[in-house]
């Protein structure tokens, strides 16, 4: 929700988590995400990665949760005799299959883990629901993005390319989506009954978007091509377009921003220098970080 609310979205999210109205799971290829509790079934069926055959470690972890849950990772290590480097990957894989549930009501690191089916008995996860749920999720995404290419839908969802194509074809056949060709954007998809668009343009300004932001994720392949030789920390949304990248090597200890790369005309790079650097240094403040270059030139 960063940059999308006029209030502190973290406090609002914390309140929703504490009431279990906003719940944690692993979606989109196994990445951590949050969904509204009453839509958990929808997103779980869309992004579930079934576990055909559990490994011995996964089985031991799952059986311990069934027998003694809810349990924290520390308690799991004590119950099973396994190491942390064995327990956590097993938990995460079980989580992508929606066999276990991690309760995150606050920011405590030692969070309890539950048997998913026992904790969410009202949520049905089945192969028969996968298709309809995936269609609904991808249709919502196209509505949100207004226009989306196959590549963008695939990048955002992290679903296999062939599966995405099949779902999009089905949505077009049913009349939920339409194929459209937009100048400078190419061929993609739009909603058959789109919401009216606002008359005003995207807000002017510079926003720092992390790599998990849905705009960044949906343009991941394009951004990798444009900044192929760079190690990117975050991206810059400038006047509604992804036109820059903050480059450097991330670390737990203090680290520097090596460069601010921009897809802007030379004149605009100069006239907007202070505005862009202000947004970057707000995200990477001194003394922990130093911005070393701007558009390739040392500061």
């Amino acid at each position: 929700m960063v940059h999308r609310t006029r209030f502190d979205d973290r406090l609002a999210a914390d309140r929703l988590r504490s009431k279990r109205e906003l719940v944690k799971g692993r979606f989109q290829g196994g990445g951590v995400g949050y969904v509204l509790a009453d839509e958990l079934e929808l997103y779980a069926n869309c992004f579930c990665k079934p576990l055909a055959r559990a490994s011995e470690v996964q089985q031991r972890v799952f059986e311990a949760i069934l027998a003694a849950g809810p349990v924290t990772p520390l308690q799991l290590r004590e119950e099973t005799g396994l190491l942390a480097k064995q327990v956590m990957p097993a938990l995460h894989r079980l989580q992508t299959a929606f066999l276990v549930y991690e309760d995150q009501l606050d920011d405590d690191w030692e969070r309890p883990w539950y048997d998913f089916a026992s904790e969410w008995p009202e949520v049905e996860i089945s192969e028969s629901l996968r298709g309809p749920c995936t269609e609904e999720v991808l249709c919502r995404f196209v509505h949100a993005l207004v226009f989306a290419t196959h590549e963008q839908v695939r990048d955002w969802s992290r679903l296999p390319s062939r599966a995405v194509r099949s779902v999009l074809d089905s949505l077009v056949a049913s009349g939920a989506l339409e194929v459209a060709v937009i100048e400078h954007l190419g061929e993609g998809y739009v909603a058959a009954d789109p919401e009216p668009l606002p008359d005003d343009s995207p807000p002017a300004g510079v926003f720092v978007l992390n790599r998990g932001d849905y705009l960044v994720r949906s343009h991941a392949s394009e951004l990798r091509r444009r900044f192929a030789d760079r190690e990117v920390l975050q991206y810059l949304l400038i006047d509604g377009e992804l036109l820059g990248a903050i480059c450097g090597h991330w670390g737990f200890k203090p680290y520097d921003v090596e460069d601010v790369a921009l897809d802007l005309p030379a004149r605009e790079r100069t006239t907007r220098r202070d505005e862009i650097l202000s947004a970057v240094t707000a995200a990477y403040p001194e003394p922990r970080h130093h911005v070393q270059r701007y558009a390739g030139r040392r500061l």
Side-chain angles (χ1 to χ4, degrees):
M1 298 300 294
V2 175
H3 302 308
R4 293 181 173 88
T5 62
R6 296 183 183 275
F7 53 86
D8 190 333
D9 59 286
R10 293 170 301 177
L11 296 177
D14 286 346
R15 286 195 294 270
L16 291 170
R17 285 192 314 184
S18 68
K19 296 185 290 184
R20 269 202 180 181
E21 293 180 19
L22 193 66
V23 297
K24 183 178 182 179
R26 286 189 177 268
F27 311 94
Q28 297 167 296
V32 170
Y34 296 84
V35 299
L36 296 173
D38 58 2
E39 296 197 319
L40 180 56
E41 182 173 281
L42 173 68
Y43 288 95
N45 277 286
C46 175
F47 294 114
C48 179
K49 296 175 68 176
L51 189 59
R53 183 175 181 179
S55 68
E56 180 183 347
V57 171
Q58 292 164 351
Q59 190 66 37
R60 287 171 65 183
V61 169
F62 187 48
E63 288 174 353
I65 292 174
L66 289 176
V71 288
T72 66
L74 176 59
Q75 291 169 328
L76 276 172
R77 296 199 298 272
E78 294 172 348
E79 288 283 334
T80 62
L82 297 168
L83 302 174
K85 64 180 182 181
Q86 295 174 296
V87 169
M88 295 313 298
L91 284 172
H92 294 162
R93 181 62 185 93
L94 292 166
Q95 194 177 19
T96 63
F98 290 89
L99 294 172
V100 299
Y101 169 70
E102 180 186 12
D103 207 11
Q104 186 173 358
L105 303 180
D106 51 39
D107 292 325
D108 188 353
W109 281 98
E110 279 293 321
R111 294 185 284 268
W113 289 75
Y114 299 77
D115 168 41
F116 185 92
S118 299
E119 200 63 16
W120 296 95
E122 70 278 17
V123 174
E124 178 187 353
I125 299 177
S126 67
E127 188 61 35
S128 64
L129 290 175
R130 179 185 292 271
C133 288
T134 303
E135 288 188 2
E136 175 63 20
V137 169
L138 298 194
C139 191
R140 289 186 184 190
F141 172 72
V142 174
H143 270 266
L145 212 61
V146 180
F147 169 86
T149 65
H150 168 265
E151 180 180 79
Q152 290 166 350
V153 178
R154 183 202 64 204
D155 282 354
W156 174 80
S157 67
R158 305 287 176 92
L159 294 172
S161 182
R162 185 176 296 180
V164 169
R165 178 70 69 186
S166 175
V167 171
L168 291 173
D169 288 346
S170 177
L171 289 168
V172 170
S174 70
L177 297 181
E178 295 177 354
V179 176
V181 178
I182 306 296
E183 188 177 1
H184 306 305
L185 297 177
E187 181 178 286
Y189 301 86
V190 296
D193 54 342
E195 298 288 334
L197 294 175
D199 294 330
D200 54 343
S201 301
V206 181
F207 302 95
V208 176
L209 301 185
N210 68 56
R211 293 164 67 177
D213 185 278
Y214 87 91
L215 289 177
V216 173
R217 290 189 67 154
S218 63
H219 291 77
S221 293
E222 175 194 341
L223 291 169
R224 281 195 297 269
R225 291 191 293 268
R226 284 163 53 192
F227 300 99
D229 58 339
R230 304 297 189 116
E231 187 173 1
V232 176
L233 297 168
Q234 299 196 73
Y235 290 94
L236 293 174
L237 187 76
I238 302 174
D239 299 346
E241 295 186 73
L242 290 162
L243 296 174
I246 302 171
C247 305
H249 183 68
W250 183 87
F252 286 105
K253 296 180 179 179
Y255 60 93
D256 291 333
V257 171
E258 296 174 3
D259 194 8
V260 179
L262 298 165
D263 280 346
L264 292 174
R267 180 178 177 82
E268 193 170 354
R269 290 201 300 266
T270 300
T271 58
R272 304 191 69 171
R273 177 180 182 276
D274 291 345
E275 178 189 10
I276 292 170
L277 283 177
S278 177
V280 173
T281 54
Y284 295 90
E286 294 184 345
R288 182 176 175 83
H289 313 280
H290 297 88
V291 181
Q292 297 180 333
R293 291 179 177 82
Y294 175 81
R297 293 189 175 185
R298 182 168 289 278
L299 295 174

